Amino acid sequence: MINIGLIGFGNVGQGVYEILTQNTTLLTQRVGQPIRITKIAVRSPKKYQNLIPQDLLTTDVTDILTNPDIDIVVEVMGGETPALDYICTALNHKKYVVTANKEVVSKHKKTFFSLAKENGVDIYFEASVGGGIPIIRSLKVGLAANRIDHIAGILNGTTNYMLTKIEAEQQPFDIILKKAQDAGFAEADPTMDVDGIDAAHKLVILAAVAFKADVQLDDIYHEGIRHIELADIQHADALGYKIKLLALGHRETETQLSLRVHPTLIPKVHLLANINNEFNAAYISGNAVGEVLLSGKGAGGSPTGSAVVSDIIDIAFDISQKMNRRNLETELHQVTVSPITKTSNQYYIRLQATDTPQILEKITHELSQASISIQTLSQPTPQDGTAEIIIITHQSTEGNFNATIKKINDLDNISVINTIRVGLGRKIDLIRY
């Protein structure tokens, strides 16, 4: 019998319980012995009295962390505190740990790896990135023969849902945010999602797995979708693009990476442009395999629970069969993360200007002076003496582009309304429909 102690019983915890309960026979056949949840730590047992047997519940987490009969501790409560202490205690008591907690893994991964190695156990965290999508396992096992050079991910279901609905329903950000909250896709305080912080935490984890890099949240430039307006999505669509919040990681050298999270215009022919609603995706480039796309539901009790249980099965198989099925590397390297100002991108620019002669010449002159060439320029019919101008540039460094935009914004009768980066930040083959 493989005994599980579960800390937390929200949507993900209930998903784990349901999967282990419904698939008992199947999992026993696969592992070689039964997997059983023997204790669940919660704050209020009465809340769950009609869901599960009461003898499973405890309010004392030490019933799990120091219980010699517990083999695997599953932490699905979320947040940094007290999850950090619980995970460290479990590892120090020589228990395997499975967690879906992106924040605590991104901040304390090096500590966890070290404790796991010292105590002859391991920590698994597939569910911390991409919900039910096997991103971590794919990087660790399926793509183990590759040097990973590039990752582009849609890693936040809330923002992807919102961007999809803004376009589909032709309604502005604030209205769609309220609808997302009412539908349960966005929190009452949506800051983590809409400001790109959630995706940045996940990129920290992917950088550790894909690039073996020891980076923290503060190393990663992150920008959310609050400034994306319906007009930008409409203009992008007319030009053949979709706007997505992307987490981008690129290996520049063995010791230097580019890591950033921000909205991006993606050509409609790219598969990432067609990942919609709450779905997540990871677009991975390896030096042997080439381009790979993984996609699926990035949130929810059942998909995330599926990822948690897959980690439990891996550990249970190791315990049952006395053998290790995969090599989880724990050595992380110090790297330099390129500042966002040094990166090179194409850019979308939306301006408003008084409809007067030579206004376009003023704008193109500033771009030309900065050696920023124009790929496309369009100007819808002016209304009430005001012209809207849409420009997509060729490549420029971020620092040069920002300085130029400031100069344009200082010109009389011209206002820069929005700028958004275009493309995946490097020349790569496009997986197309």
Side-chain angles (χ1 to χ4, degrees):
M1 181 77 70
I2 306 295
N3 292 319
I4 308 295
L6 189 61
I7 303 175
F9 202 60
N11 286 338
V12 176
Q14 291 174 36
V16 172
Y17 179 84
E18 185 176 347
I19 292 167
L20 288 175
T21 303
Q22 289 183 348
N23 296 345
T24 299
T25 302
L26 175 65
L27 299 181
T28 300
Q29 291 172 347
R30 287 183 175 174
V31 172
Q33 57 183 299
I35 301 173
R36 181 183 68 177
I37 294 178
T38 56
K39 278 295 174 188
I40 303 173
V42 296
R43 290 191 181 94
S44 176
K46 289 184 178 179
K47 183 177 178 182
Y48 308 104
Q49 61 185 357
N50 296 322
L51 293 178
I52 55 175
Q54 289 295 287
D55 61 350
L56 288 180
L57 299 175
T58 180
T59 57
D60 185 357
V61 75
T62 59
D63 289 345
I64 291 173
L65 299 178
T66 62
N67 186 336
D69 294 329
I70 297 288
D71 300 296
I72 305 170
V73 173
V74 178
E75 183 276 308
V76 286
M77 62 187 298
E80 183 179 9
T81 304
L84 170 60
D85 289 339
Y86 293 167
I87 291 173
C88 289
T89 300
L91 293 171
N92 279 322
H93 280 79
K94 302 186 184 305
K95 300 185 185 303
Y96 286 87
V97 172
V98 176
T99 180
N101 190 331
K102 63 209 169 248
E103 182 178 2
V104 78
V105 173
S106 71
K107 290 181 178 179
H108 303 287
K109 56 195 176 298
K110 202 167 184 179
T111 297
F112 297 154
F113 295 161
S114 177
L115 287 177
K117 187 174 182 180
E118 288 173 15
N119 289 283
V121 288
D122 223 324
I123 179 167
Y124 287 57
F125 47 93
E126 181 66 67
S128 66
V129 180
I133 310 170
I135 297 174
I136 305 297
R137 183 171 282 101
S138 295
L139 288 167
K140 285 281 189 184
V141 183
L143 300 175
N146 290 259
R147 184 190 71 245
I148 303 302
D149 293 320
H150 183 74
I151 294 175
I154 296 172
L155 303 181
N156 182 268
T158 297
T159 51
N160 203 47
Y161 175 88
M162 289 180 61
L163 290 170
T164 301
K165 293 303 182 185
I166 290 171
E167 179 178 19
E169 299 182 14
Q170 294 290 292
Q171 291 185 317
F173 176 93
D174 290 342
I175 291 177
I176 294 298
L177 173 58
K178 180 64 168 58
K179 288 187 175 183
Q181 290 169 325
D182 292 343
F185 287 109
E187 301 289 341
D189 179 1
T191 302
M192 288 284 289
D193 296 320
V194 301
D195 289 344
I197 302 169
D198 174 85
H201 276 304
K202 294 170 181 176
L203 184 57
V204 168
I205 296 170
L206 290 183
V209 177
F211 305 125
K212 315 305 176 196
D214 182 18
V215 298
Q216 296 296 327
L217 184 68
D218 290 345
D219 298 319
I220 294 181
Y221 173 86
H222 54 275
E223 172 190 322
I225 65 167
R226 290 184 191 270
H227 67 290
I228 303 299
E229 298 181 9
L230 175 58
D232 298 310
I233 290 176
Q234 291 171 333
H235 289 307
D237 179 64
L239 292 167
Y241 295 91
K242 299 285 187 181
I243 299 177
K244 298 292 182 182
L245 182 70
L246 290 189
L248 296 165
H250 174 57
R251 187 194 299 274
E252 296 182 342
T253 69
E254 288 304 311
T255 59
Q256 183 148 338
L257 304 175
S258 172
L259 300 168
R260 49 208 171 99
V261 172
H262 53 68
T264 306
L265 271 72
I266 310 173
K268 290 181 183 179
V269 294
H270 197 288
L271 286 183
L272 277 179
N274 297 279
I275 305 299
N276 294 317
N277 296 312
E278 70 273 25
F279 278 69
N280 281 198
Y283 182 75
I284 302 165
S285 175
N287 68 327
V289 73
E291 317 293 334
V292 174
L293 182 76
L294 303 170
S295 179
K297 287 189 176 181
S302 187
T304 307
S306 171
V308 170
V309 174
S310 75
D311 279 345
I312 291 172
I313 292 169
D314 258 10
I315 297 169
F317 189 91
D318 293 349
I319 294 171
S320 174
Q321 305 300 321
K322 308 297 188 213
M323 62 186 292
N324 196 296
R325 296 191 71 188
R326 63 176 179 171
N327 176 29
L328 290 180
E329 299 176 63
T330 58
E331 184 179 354
L332 299 181
H333 306 293
Q334 295 296 318
V335 298
T336 301
V337 178
S338 299
I340 189 71
T341 54
K342 300 294 184 183
T343 60
S344 181
N345 302 278
Q346 291 181 263
Y347 297 91
Y348 157 98
I349 311 170
R350 177 160 66 96
L351 311 99
Q352 282 187 348
T354 303
D355 186 26
T356 57
Q358 300 183 330
I359 203 75
L360 272 179
E361 285 107 302
K362 292 180 181 180
I363 296 167
T364 56
H365 173 75
E366 293 296 340
L367 292 171
S368 177
Q369 288 292 102
S371 299
I372 300 174
S373 57
I374 295 173
Q375 176 175 296
T376 64
L377 187 152
S378 59
Q379 182 179 343
T381 303
Q383 295 183 355
D384 300 324
T386 300
E388 192 166 60
I389 301 165
I390 310 300
I391 296 172
I392 292 183
T393 74
H394 286 292
Q395 293 280 335
S396 171
T397 63
E398 180 99 1
N400 182 44
F401 176 79
N402 287 342
T404 306
I405 288 298
K406 186 178 184 304
K407 291 180 179 179
I408 292 173
N409 220 17
D410 288 340
L411 295 172
D412 292 337
N413 302 318
I414 297 174
S415 295
V416 178
I417 304 303
N418 213 349
T419 63
I420 307 171
R421 297 167 191 86
V422 178
L424 301 185
R426 60 189 287 265
K427 292 182 179 179
I428 58 176
D429 295 332
L430 293 180
I431 298 181
R432 300 168 183 265
Y433 277 112

